[in-house]
Amino acid sequence: MSAAGSLLAAVPTAAVFLLTVATRPGGAGAVAPIRLAVVRAALLTGAYAVLVVEVLGALNALTRPAFVIAWLLFLAVAATAAGLRWRRENRLAQQPAAVSRPVPVGVGVAAGSDTPAPVTDSGNAGPAPGRDRGARADLFARAADIWRTAGRGERLLAGTIGGLLLLELLVALLAEPNNFDSQTYHLPKVEHWVAQGDLDFWPTAIHRQVTIPPGAEYLLLHLRLLTGGDGLHNLVQWAAGVGCLLVVARITAQLGGSRRAQLLTAFVLASTPMVVLQATSTQTDLVCAAWVACAATLVLDGLRRRTGWGTLLGLGAATGLTAVTKTSGLIAVGPLLVLWGLAQLRLALAGTAPAADGVRRPVGRVARTVAGSVLIMLVAAVVVGPFLARVTAEFGHPLGPPRLRESIPMERHDPPSILVNALRIGHTAFDTPLAPLRRVGADAIIGGADAIGVDPQDRAITFGREVFPVPAWYPDEDRVAFPLAGALVLIGAVVALARPRRIDPGQVGPLRAYAVVVLATVLLHTSMLKWQPWGNRLLLYALVLAVPLAGLWLDSVFRRRRGPAVGADGRRSVATLTAVAVLATSALAGVLSLSYGFPRRLVGAGSVFTTSDWDTRFLRRPQWADEFRWAAAAVQDSGARRIGLVEQNDNWEYPWWLLLRQPDGGSPELVSLQSVLPERPPADPFSVEAIVCTGSRPACVKLVPAGWRLEFRDYVGYALPPGR
């Protein structure tokens, strides 16, 4: 990656920072206003990034100059907005402070909005932004003040979170992309776009390259064109992980959580092995979870006040970005939007004052809520609509071909089948290194399934040819379980539903409503998606959504330790010590995942410090590294320019894009000799100058023209025509 590429890659980051300054709420009452501004900036930037790809793709202009111009324009707009905001705050600061006047009790509620005390980004009461110099204090000074007033436990939590994030950043920067799915379809689709200059589908044997929503890959495309390579690709998921931590901490504050509760929430999530491992990856689950969390925090803002048009646009963007990244995330966004709609209708009806004739007329406010709902859907459609339109035009269905619609979604929805599916998903999510415990749980589920007449390996509720159970405790980015975080979330959700006053007597309604949304999300997930060995990563969005309940419950445990009690001191001490032990174990799990996780780790065999760039890419399949190089070298030595691909649905394609690049760094001309797209015929083998194959030698033999020389090793092969 060149120095110019590094500077260009900093432009989106600078734009997000400037938009954070420009969109920070200026009035009183915003919870954690800086984090809210980060959410707004992220949604604006994400939606812009997606639309830039769609517009330039439609113009056949997916090129580096076009993307550089697009980002410089966006940076200029963000800088202008930040400058205008800064000047406006300076003018307000120079004005004499207005004399505060008491507000009659009930006025805010009658107007359909509430006006709580101004809240700083730490979640505590503070001065209104724009009216006090302290509100415009430097962020570093504010952070220093928060650190100074924090207790020892809070500092330990914050330090651990910061340490994990820095180590993850180090791994993300040092490790080459080596996620299995990325080698098969995440990164090849980016290279196809770069080579084509547009978003048109292409003939391929790997349907996931065109049928799986491409939102995260759109973000990777920006980095690919700005930097010329994949050296910064892991940073997309790392940034999404940071965003998740900020947003779940804000959700905790919105539900009444103190600064300690917010830190506990962030700590539980930051130390979860799945989060630790995915934060250094080119997977897409953290990106999806971040957009879901953004939707959740905006929805909670609408529980007690009427939603403004800006927030409606934000909800639409969050919905659209979730849909274009991973459609499973909509399983959470749907219940969240239902909660928002019910809250807005309640406020509309409660805030309607009687007219002169004494009759309430809520029609206008209800119509505004309906219009807001329509606006959310329209904005979401603008973001995800172009991709869905291409899929529908290609396959006749917005969800893609039948093989995609039938492989992951549940094909049976009778209660016994859903119950068995939920139990298997729970068993895999809560897996531990204790093999006897795994066997006992699995045997109980299998026996129970047989008792109620459900085959636990039924293909209608099980992905592919996989067999339940599988071990999922080890730190692998695609499979690792989250028993500690899951248990804490489960306890927090139960307490929020049954005993919300134990968490916060003033937040009974919001706590129960949020817990219901979490429960609905889990139930919908287990009734809509089949069990699969790597299903834990598909649950990541639900874990991120639910983790604030864990932080709130943990904080209530520590808070009750100091409360007066008669005959309960022993029980409280045990509960507190148990909570401390769980947090310590969680921290250890996070550190071990970073140190020894797979396929990126700090120490041991395969360490990012001791493994070469090329070998890092093949840590999943080290035996293939030399084979790809061998075949690519033979093809390059032959002078072939147009190269045919022979591969199966789960084979690695991305190494060819790296090894067969043009001498000037341009994309190679790779064309598929197979196609699962009915309207996209494959290339004629006689139209290419060389063929490279992966996976199956017989499949390769069928497509190699007679008289060509075929060489094949264990996984990789190549074929050349006579004379080459």
Coordinates of all heavy atoms in Angstrom, one line a residue, residues 22-85:
A22 N -20.4 17.9 13.6 CA -21.5 18.6 13.0 C -22.9 18.2 13.5 O -23.8 19.0 13.6 CB -21.4 18.5 11.5
T23 N -23.0 16.9 13.9 CA -24.3 16.3 14.2 C -24.5 16.2 15.7 O -25.6 15.6 16.1 CB -24.5 15.0 13.5 OG1 -23.5 14.1 13.9 CG2 -24.4 15.1 12.0
R24 N -23.6 16.6 16.5 CA -23.8 16.5 18.0 C -25.1 17.3 18.4 O -25.2 18.4 18.0 CB -22.6 17.0 18.7 CG -22.7 16.8 20.2 CD -21.4 17.0 20.9 NE -20.8 18.3 20.6 CZ -21.1 19.4 21.3 NH1 -21.9 19.4 22.3 NH2 -20.5 20.6 20.9
P25 N -26.0 16.6 19.1 CA -27.2 17.3 19.5 C -26.9 18.6 20.3 O -26.1 18.6 21.2 CB -28.0 16.3 20.3 CG -27.0 15.3 20.7 CD -25.9 15.3 19.7
G26 N -27.6 19.7 19.9 CA -27.3 20.9 20.6 C -28.3 21.3 21.7 O -28.0 22.2 22.5
G27 N -29.4 20.6 21.8 CA -30.3 20.9 22.9 C -30.1 20.1 24.1 O -29.3 19.2 24.2
A28 N -30.9 20.4 25.1 CA -30.9 19.7 26.4 C -31.6 18.3 26.2 O -32.5 18.2 25.4 CB -31.5 20.5 27.5
G29 N -31.2 17.4 27.0 CA -32.0 16.1 27.1 C -31.4 14.9 26.4 O -31.9 13.8 26.5
A30 N -30.4 15.1 25.5 CA -29.8 14.0 24.8 C -29.0 13.1 25.7 O -28.1 13.6 26.4 CB -29.0 14.5 23.6
V31 N -29.2 11.8 25.7 CA -28.4 10.9 26.5 C -27.1 10.6 25.7 O -27.2 10.3 24.5 CB -29.2 9.6 26.7 CG1 -28.3 8.6 27.4 CG2 -30.4 9.8 27.5
A32 N -26.0 10.8 26.4 CA -24.7 10.5 25.7 C -24.6 11.2 24.4 O -24.5 10.5 23.3 CB -24.4 9.0 25.7
P33 N -24.6 12.5 24.3 CA -24.7 13.2 23.0 C -23.6 12.9 22.0 O -23.8 12.9 20.8 CB -24.8 14.7 23.4 CG -24.2 14.7 24.8 CD -24.5 13.5 25.4
I34 N -22.4 12.7 22.6 CA -21.2 12.5 21.6 C -21.4 11.1 21.0 O -21.2 11.0 19.8 CB -19.9 12.5 22.4 CG1 -19.7 14.0 22.9 CG2 -18.8 12.1 21.5 CD1 -18.4 14.1 23.7
R35 N -21.8 10.1 21.7 CA -22.1 8.8 21.2 C -23.3 8.8 20.2 O -23.2 8.2 19.2 CB -22.3 7.8 22.2 CG -21.0 7.2 22.8 CD -21.3 6.4 24.1 NE -21.4 7.2 25.3 CZ -21.8 6.7 26.4 NH1 -22.1 5.4 26.6 NH2 -21.8 7.5 27.5
L36 N -24.3 9.6 20.5 CA -25.4 9.8 19.5 C -24.8 10.4 18.2 O -25.2 10.0 17.1 CB -26.5 10.7 20.1 CG -27.6 11.0 19.2 CD1 -28.3 9.8 18.7 CD2 -28.6 11.9 19.9
A37 N -23.9 11.4 18.4 CA -23.4 12.0 17.2 C -22.5 11.0 16.4 O -22.5 11.0 15.1 CB -22.5 13.2 17.6
V38 N -21.8 10.1 17.1 CA -21.1 9.1 16.4 C -22.0 8.2 15.6 O -21.8 7.8 14.4 CB -20.2 8.2 17.4 CG1 -19.7 7.0 16.7 CG2 -19.1 9.1 18.0
V39 N -23.2 7.8 16.2 CA -24.2 7.0 15.5 C -24.7 7.7 14.2 O -24.7 7.1 13.1 CB -25.4 6.7 16.4 CG1 -26.5 6.1 15.7 CG2 -24.9 5.8 17.5
R40 N -25.0 9.0 14.4 CA -25.5 9.8 13.2 C -24.4 9.8 12.1 O -24.7 9.6 10.9 CB -25.9 11.2 13.7 CG -27.1 11.2 14.6 CD -27.3 12.6 15.2 NE -28.5 12.7 15.9 CZ -28.9 13.8 16.6 NH1 -28.1 14.9 16.6 NH2 -30.0 13.9 17.2
A41 N -23.2 10.1 12.5 CA -22.1 10.2 11.5 C -21.8 8.9 10.9 O -21.6 8.8 9.6 CB -20.8 10.7 12.2
A42 N -21.9 7.8 11.6 CA -21.7 6.4 11.0 C -22.8 6.1 10.0 O -22.5 5.6 8.9 CB -21.6 5.4 12.1
L43 N -24.0 6.4 10.4 CA -25.1 6.1 9.5 C -25.1 7.0 8.2 O -25.3 6.5 7.1 CB -26.5 6.4 10.2 CG -26.8 5.4 11.3 CD1 -28.1 5.8 12.0 CD2 -27.0 4.0 10.7
L44 N -24.7 8.2 8.3 CA -24.6 9.1 7.2 C -23.5 8.6 6.3 O -23.6 8.5 5.0 CB -24.3 10.5 7.6 CG -25.4 11.4 8.1 CD1 -24.9 12.7 8.7 CD2 -26.3 11.7 6.9
T45 N -22.3 8.2 6.9 CA -21.2 7.8 6.1 C -21.5 6.4 5.5 O -21.1 6.2 4.3 CB -19.9 7.7 7.0 OG1 -19.7 9.0 7.6 CG2 -18.7 7.3 6.2
G46 N -22.1 5.5 6.2 CA -22.4 4.2 5.7 C -23.4 4.3 4.5 O -23.2 3.6 3.5
A47 N -24.4 5.1 4.7 CA -25.4 5.2 3.6 C -24.7 5.9 2.4 O -25.0 5.5 1.2 CB -26.6 6.1 4.1
Y48 N -23.9 6.9 2.6 CA -23.2 7.5 1.5 C -22.3 6.5 0.8 O -22.3 6.5 -0.5 CB -22.4 8.7 2.0 CG -21.6 9.4 0.9 CD1 -22.2 10.3 0.1 CD2 -20.2 9.2 0.8 CE1 -21.5 11.0 -0.9 CE2 -19.5 9.9 -0.2 CZ -20.2 10.8 -1.0 OH -19.5 11.4 -2.0
A49 N -21.6 5.7 1.5 CA -20.7 4.8 0.9 C -21.4 3.8 0.0 O -21.0 3.4 -1.1 CB -19.9 4.0 2.0
V50 N -22.6 3.3 0.5 CA -23.4 2.4 -0.3 C -23.9 3.0 -1.5 O -23.8 2.5 -2.7 CB -24.5 1.8 0.6 CG1 -25.5 1.0 -0.3 CG2 -24.0 0.9 1.7
L51 N -24.4 4.2 -1.4 CA -25.0 4.9 -2.6 C -24.0 5.3 -3.6 O -24.2 5.3 -4.8 CB -25.8 6.1 -2.1 CG -27.0 5.8 -1.3 CD1 -27.7 7.1 -0.8 CD2 -28.0 5.0 -2.0
V52 N -22.7 5.6 -3.1 CA -21.7 5.9 -4.1 C -21.4 4.7 -4.9 O -21.2 4.8 -6.1 CB -20.4 6.4 -3.3 CG1 -19.2 6.3 -4.2 CG2 -20.6 7.8 -2.8
V53 N -21.3 3.6 -4.3 CA -21.0 2.3 -5.0 C -22.2 2.1 -6.0 O -21.9 1.7 -7.2 CB -20.9 1.1 -4.1 CG1 -20.8 -0.2 -4.9 CG2 -19.6 1.3 -3.2
E54 N -23.4 2.2 -5.6 CA -24.5 2.0 -6.5 C -24.5 2.9 -7.7 O -24.7 2.5 -8.8 CB -25.8 2.0 -5.7 CG -26.0 0.9 -4.7 CD -26.3 -0.4 -5.3 OE1 -26.4 -0.5 -6.6 OE2 -26.4 -1.4 -4.6
V55 N -24.3 4.2 -7.4 CA -24.4 5.2 -8.5 C -23.2 5.0 -9.4 O -23.4 5.0 -10.7 CB -24.4 6.7 -7.9 CG1 -24.2 7.7 -9.0 CG2 -25.7 6.9 -7.1
L56 N -22.0 4.9 -8.9 CA -20.9 4.8 -9.8 C -20.9 3.4 -10.5 O -20.4 3.3 -11.6 CB -19.6 4.9 -9.0 CG -19.3 6.3 -8.4 CD1 -18.0 6.3 -7.6 CD2 -19.3 7.4 -9.5
G57 N -21.4 2.4 -9.8 CA -21.6 1.1 -10.5 C -22.5 1.2 -11.7 O -22.3 0.6 -12.8
A58 N -23.6 2.0 -11.5 CA -24.6 2.1 -12.6 C -24.0 2.9 -13.8 O -24.4 2.8 -14.9 CB -25.8 2.9 -12.1
L59 N -23.0 3.8 -13.5 CA -22.3 4.6 -14.5 C -21.0 3.9 -15.1 O -20.3 4.5 -15.8 CB -21.9 5.9 -13.9 CG -23.1 6.8 -13.4 CD1 -22.5 8.1 -12.8 CD2 -24.0 7.2 -14.6
N60 N -20.8 2.6 -14.7 CA -19.6 1.9 -15.1 C -18.3 2.7 -14.7 O -17.4 2.8 -15.4 CB -19.6 1.6 -16.6 CG -20.7 0.7 -17.0 OD1 -21.1 -0.1 -16.3 ND2 -21.1 0.9 -18.2
A61 N -18.4 3.3 -13.5 CA -17.3 4.1 -13.0 C -16.7 3.7 -11.7 O -16.3 4.6 -10.9 CB -17.7 5.6 -13.0
L62 N -16.6 2.4 -11.4 CA -16.0 1.9 -10.2 C -14.5 2.0 -10.3 O -13.8 1.0 -10.5 CB -16.5 0.5 -9.8 CG -18.0 0.3 -9.6 CD1 -18.3 -1.1 -9.2 CD2 -18.4 1.2 -8.4
T63 N -14.0 3.2 -10.3 CA -12.5 3.4 -10.5 C -12.0 4.3 -9.3 O -12.7 4.9 -8.6 CB -12.3 4.2 -11.8 OG1 -12.9 5.5 -11.7 CG2 -12.8 3.4 -13.0
R64 N -10.7 4.2 -9.2 CA -10.0 5.0 -8.1 C -10.3 6.5 -8.2 O -10.6 7.1 -7.2 CB -8.5 4.7 -8.1 CG -7.9 5.2 -6.9 CD -6.4 5.0 -6.9 NE -5.8 5.2 -5.6 CZ -4.5 5.3 -5.3 NH1 -3.6 5.1 -6.3 NH2 -4.0 5.5 -4.1
P65 N -10.1 7.1 -9.4 CA -10.3 8.5 -9.5 C -11.7 8.9 -9.1 O -11.9 9.9 -8.4 CB -10.0 8.9 -11.0 CG -9.1 7.8 -11.4 CD -9.5 6.6 -10.7
A66 N -12.7 8.1 -9.5 CA -14.1 8.5 -9.2 C -14.3 8.4 -7.7 O -15.0 9.2 -7.1 CB -15.1 7.5 -9.9
F67 N -13.8 7.4 -7.0 CA -13.9 7.2 -5.6 C -13.2 8.3 -4.8 O -13.7 8.8 -3.8 CB -13.5 5.8 -5.1 CG -14.6 4.8 -5.2 CD1 -15.1 4.4 -6.5 CD2 -15.1 4.2 -4.1 CE1 -16.0 3.5 -6.6 CE2 -16.1 3.2 -4.2 CZ -16.6 2.9 -5.5
V68 N -12.0 8.7 -5.3 CA -11.3 9.8 -4.6 C -12.1 11.1 -4.7 O -12.2 11.8 -3.7 CB -9.9 10.0 -5.3 CG1 -9.2 11.2 -4.8 CG2 -9.0 8.8 -5.0
I69 N -12.6 11.4 -5.9 CA -13.5 12.6 -6.0 C -14.7 12.5 -5.1 O -15.0 13.5 -4.4 CB -13.9 12.8 -7.5 CG1 -12.7 13.1 -8.3 CG2 -14.9 13.9 -7.6 CD1 -13.0 13.1 -9.8
A70 N -15.3 11.4 -5.0 CA -16.5 11.2 -4.2 C -16.2 11.5 -2.7 O -16.9 12.2 -2.0 CB -17.1 9.8 -4.4
W71 N -15.1 10.9 -2.2 CA -14.7 11.1 -0.8 C -14.2 12.5 -0.5 O -14.5 13.0 0.6 CB -13.7 10.1 -0.4 CG -14.3 8.8 -0.1 CD1 -14.3 7.6 -0.8 CD2 -15.2 8.5 1.0 NE1 -15.0 6.6 -0.2 CE2 -15.6 7.2 0.9 CE3 -15.7 9.3 2.1 CZ2 -16.5 6.6 1.9 CZ3 -16.5 8.7 3.0 CH2 -16.9 7.3 2.9
L72 N -13.5 13.1 -1.5 CA -13.1 14.5 -1.2 C -14.3 15.4 -1.1 O -14.3 16.4 -0.3 CB -12.1 14.9 -2.3 CG -10.7 14.2 -2.2 CD1 -9.9 14.7 -3.4 CD2 -10.0 14.5 -0.9
L73 N -15.3 15.2 -2.0 CA -16.5 16.0 -1.9 C -17.2 15.8 -0.6 O -17.7 16.7 0.1 CB -17.4 15.6 -3.1 CG -17.0 16.1 -4.5 CD1 -18.0 15.5 -5.5 CD2 -17.0 17.6 -4.5
F74 N -17.3 14.5 -0.2 CA -17.9 14.2 1.1 C -17.2 14.9 2.3 O -17.8 15.4 3.2 CB -18.0 12.7 1.3 CG -18.9 12.3 2.5 CD1 -20.2 12.5 2.5 CD2 -18.3 11.6 3.6 CE1 -21.0 12.1 3.5 CE2 -19.1 11.2 4.6 CZ -20.4 11.4 4.6
L75 N -15.8 14.8 2.2 CA -15.0 15.5 3.3 C -15.3 17.0 3.3 O -15.4 17.6 4.4 CB -13.6 15.2 3.0 CG -12.6 15.7 4.0 CD1 -12.8 15.1 5.4 CD2 -11.1 15.5 3.6
A76 N -15.4 17.6 2.1 CA -15.6 19.0 2.0 C -17.0 19.4 2.7 O -17.1 20.4 3.4 CB -15.5 19.5 0.6
V77 N -18.0 18.6 2.4 CA -19.3 18.8 2.9 C -19.3 18.7 4.4 O -19.8 19.5 5.2 CB -20.3 17.9 2.3 CG1 -21.7 18.0 3.0 CG2 -20.5 18.2 0.8
A78 N -18.6 17.6 4.9 CA -18.5 17.4 6.4 C -17.8 18.5 7.0 O -18.1 18.9 8.1 CB -17.8 16.0 6.6
A79 N -16.7 19.0 6.4 CA -15.9 20.1 7.0 C -16.7 21.3 7.1 O -16.7 22.1 8.0 CB -14.6 20.3 6.2
T80 N -17.5 21.6 6.0 CA -18.3 22.8 6.0 C -19.4 22.7 7.1 O -19.6 23.7 7.8 CB -19.0 22.9 4.6 OG1 -18.0 23.0 3.6 CG2 -19.9 24.2 4.6
A81 N -20.0 21.5 7.2 CA -21.0 21.4 8.3 C -20.4 21.5 9.6 O -21.0 22.2 10.5 CB -21.7 20.0 8.1
A82 N -19.3 21.0 9.9 CA -18.6 21.1 11.2 C -18.2 22.5 11.5 O -18.4 23.0 12.6 CB -17.4 20.2 11.2
G83 N -17.7 23.3 10.4 CA -17.4 24.7 10.6 C -18.6 25.5 10.9 O -18.5 26.4 11.8
L84 N -19.7 25.3 10.2 CA -20.9 26.0 10.5 C -21.4 25.8 11.9 O -21.8 26.7 12.7 CB -22.0 25.7 9.5 CG -21.8 26.1 8.1 CD1 -22.9 25.6 7.2 CD2 -21.8 27.6 8.0
R85 N -21.3 24.5 12.4 CA -21.7 24.2 13.7 C -20.8 24.9 14.8 O -21.3 25.4 15.8 CB -21.7 22.7 13.9 CG -22.0 22.2 15.3 CD -23.4 22.6 15.8 NE -23.6 22.2 17.1 CZ -24.1 21.0 17.5 NH1 -24.4 20.1 16.5 NH2 -24.3 20.7 18.7

